[in-house]
Amino acid sequence: MGWGDLGAFGEPSKETPNLDQMAAEGMLFLDFYTANPLCSPSRAALLTGRLPVRNGFYTTNGHARNAYTPQDIVGGIPDSELLLPELLKKAGYVNKIIGKWHLGHRPQFHPLKHGFDEWFGSPNCHFGPYDNRERPNIPVYRDWEMIGRYYEDFKIDLKTGEANLTQLYLQEALDFISKQQASQQPFFLYWAIDATHAPVYASKQFLGTSQRGLYGDAVREIDDSVGKILNHLQQLGISENTFVFFTSDNGAALISAPTQGGSNGPFLCGKQTTFEGGMREPAIAWWPGHIPAGGVSHQLGNVMDLFSTSLSLAGLQPPSDRQIDGIDLLPVILQGKLIDRPIFYYRGNELMAVRAGLYKAHYWTWSNSWEEHGKGIDFCPGQSVSGVTTHTQEEHTYLPLLFHLGRDPGEKFPL
């Protein structure tokens, strides 16, 4: 999902009333980033509080490539990493992941081996369908048991885009919250839905309801689901004891635009790039009775901060035996403070750019290769900026390309 996909961030069709209400009741983060412009490393960073080059989720087999885990790659999250749910267990939390794990599909990488108590979802995205011989369809799990596969037991209609997966994920969330509230058990819920990831899908009742086509239908269903989750917390009387944060793992994938691509607002390019459109994310913090309503923060934030912030909320300290890159955002959220910190833009194992304050310096530029571009694959469709959105990997180490993101959020005019 992209920065520009929500009404609160300026999307003109205003089709996200629940997320917009969440922002009105909580705090909007306008300068919030992921740790990598691709799914797997950003999720690893969120759960470890560490940059991908520290937690092992990057690749060195090609300069400035991205790390990912399709079903034919055998790697996953290292045992040496301490994930957020593992640490929250020390404070008595019950932990559940719903949806996409994407940190390895072999048994040793299973989420229940890394701190989660429950899982309903898949180790990867809903790609396919495959032939089920040389390459089987991707499995869906309930805890340790594989209960079916995408396109077989869990139907996805590629012609119409119909699938009820988001409704299944929503019901799982509501049931889990109810169960923990009934037992007075503190809980951590990682709701990692993937409806806006191509191939985009939505439930029947949402199909054809958006001005934005199928992608908008999926966004509307996610918005409706978030609204139901927040309302459920309020009805159970636990909203003032529950911190909720909404964000994305990378910018909208313009490679699938316009029919299945989202909006990154005024920002350049999209997923898989280290331009703003690939790494700046929509972000909303919600905690009734604690976060002043209608807050807007320009704090430079990162998904890694959710690791440190969650530990702080649980009264726990981050591990002291390793470098933690996330910061505790509670002073920002509760007191309106601003913490001076940089944002690092990595692609693979290469530091592509750094943001400090309103300035961003690119040490390398690259969108995607000429070879891919010649095949119609474009990470920046309609957004060619000479000398910036390069199709060869261009080094600027000795004279970085410098942008002022306040005056030029689209990274079009190097200083």
Side-chain angles (χ1 to χ4, degrees), residues 42-163:
S42 63
R43 290 160 191 263
L46 186 158
L47 291 174
T48 64
R50 287 153 54 81
L51 286 163
V53 289
R54 298 196 208 277
N55 64 39
F57 254 75
Y58 66 95
T59 179
T60 57
N61 62 6
H63 178 75
R65 297 303 200 274
N66 289 300
Y68 63 103
T69 56
Q71 60 266 43
D72 50 356
I73 288 182
V74 297
I77 192 71
D79 274 342
S80 57
E81 290 299 317
L82 287 172
L83 273 61
L84 178 58
E86 293 180 76
L87 298 169
L88 289 176
K89 275 184 178 292
K90 297 179 180 179
Y93 279 71
V94 173
N95 309 300
K96 180 161 186 167
I97 172 175
I98 298 172
K100 179 178 171 184
W101 167 238
H102 218 197
L103 298 184
H105 66 272
R106 294 294 180 95
Q108 66 266 38
F109 307 123
H110 194 289
L112 269 61
K113 281 200 171 184
H114 294 272
F116 285 101
D117 300 292
E118 299 180 21
W119 181 27
F120 178 77
S122 175
N124 203 337
C125 212
H126 50 282
F127 301 117
Y130 299 113
D131 58 22
N132 251 350
R133 290 187 177 181
E134 293 186 13
R135 199 175 198 192
N137 285 319
I138 294 167
V140 176
Y141 282 83
R142 178 172 297 285
D143 301 332
W144 288 105
E145 183 183 358
M146 190 187 89
I147 56 174
R149 293 183 182 274
Y150 288 139
Y151 298 96
E152 298 171 28
D153 313 273
F154 296 88
K155 304 294 184 183
I156 303 171
D157 189 326
L158 292 181
K159 291 183 179 179
T160 64
E162 182 181 345

Side-chain angles (χ1 to χ4, degrees), residues 31 33 280 300 342-343 345 354-360 405:
D31 298 83
Y33 291 84
R280 202 189 296 203
L300 297 189
I343 293 294
Y345 302 72
V354 174
R355 176 176 175 179
L358 287 170
Y359 290 94
K360 180 178 179 182
L405 295 178

Side-chain angles (χ1 to χ4, degrees), residues 92-96 118 172-189 229-242:
Y93 279 71
V94 173
N95 309 300
K96 180 161 186 167
E118 299 180 21
E172 284 287 323
L174 299 178
D175 291 347
F176 175 74
I177 292 169
S178 294
K179 179 181 175 183
Q180 306 317 314
Q181 189 273 340
S183 61
Q184 298 294 295
Q185 184 74 44
F187 64 88
F188 166 55
L189 172 60
I229 290 171
L230 299 185
N231 185 59
H232 193 56
L233 293 171
Q234 291 172 320
Q235 288 183 337
L236 292 176
I238 58 173
S239 60
E240 294 193 3
N241 293 327
T242 309

Side-chain angles (χ1 to χ4, degrees), residues 141-283:
Y141 282 83
R142 178 172 297 285
D143 301 332
W144 288 105
E145 183 183 358
M146 190 187 89
I147 56 174
R149 293 183 182 274
Y150 288 139
Y151 298 96
E152 298 171 28
D153 313 273
F154 296 88
K155 304 294 184 183
I156 303 171
D157 189 326
L158 292 181
K159 291 183 179 179
T160 64
E162 182 181 345
N164 69 338
L165 291 171
T166 301
Q167 293 302 307
L168 293 176
Y169 295 150
L170 169 61
Q171 194 58 51
E172 284 287 323
L174 299 178
D175 291 347
F176 175 74
I177 292 169
S178 294
K179 179 181 175 183
Q180 306 317 314
Q181 189 273 340
S183 61
Q184 298 294 295
Q185 184 74 44
F187 64 88
F188 166 55
L189 172 60
Y190 177 33
W191 197 63
I193 40 80
D194 64 355
T196 54
H197 189 300
V200 174
Y201 64 80
S203 300
K204 187 174 184 178
Q205 64 265 41
F206 289 93
L207 289 178
T209 64
S210 169
Q211 297 181 46
R212 305 179 63 198
L214 179 57
Y215 183 90
D217 296 341
V219 170
R220 288 199 67 238
E221 185 168 16
I222 291 171
D223 174 78
D224 181 78
S225 298
V226 172
K228 285 184 168 67
I229 290 171
L230 299 185
N231 185 59
H232 193 56
L233 293 171
Q234 291 172 320
Q235 288 183 337
L236 292 176
I238 58 173
S239 60
E240 294 193 3
N241 293 327
T242 309
F243 177 78
V244 184
F245 201 93
F246 178 90
T247 190
S248 179
D249 59 348
N250 40 247
L254 303 185
I255 188 175
S256 52
T259 56
Q260 296 201 3
S263 169
N264 295 313
F267 304 124
L268 187 62
C269 299
K271 178 178 178 176
Q272 302 195 53
T273 76
T274 48
F275 301 110
E276 290 297 287
M279 292 189 60
R280 202 189 296 203
E281 310 304 331

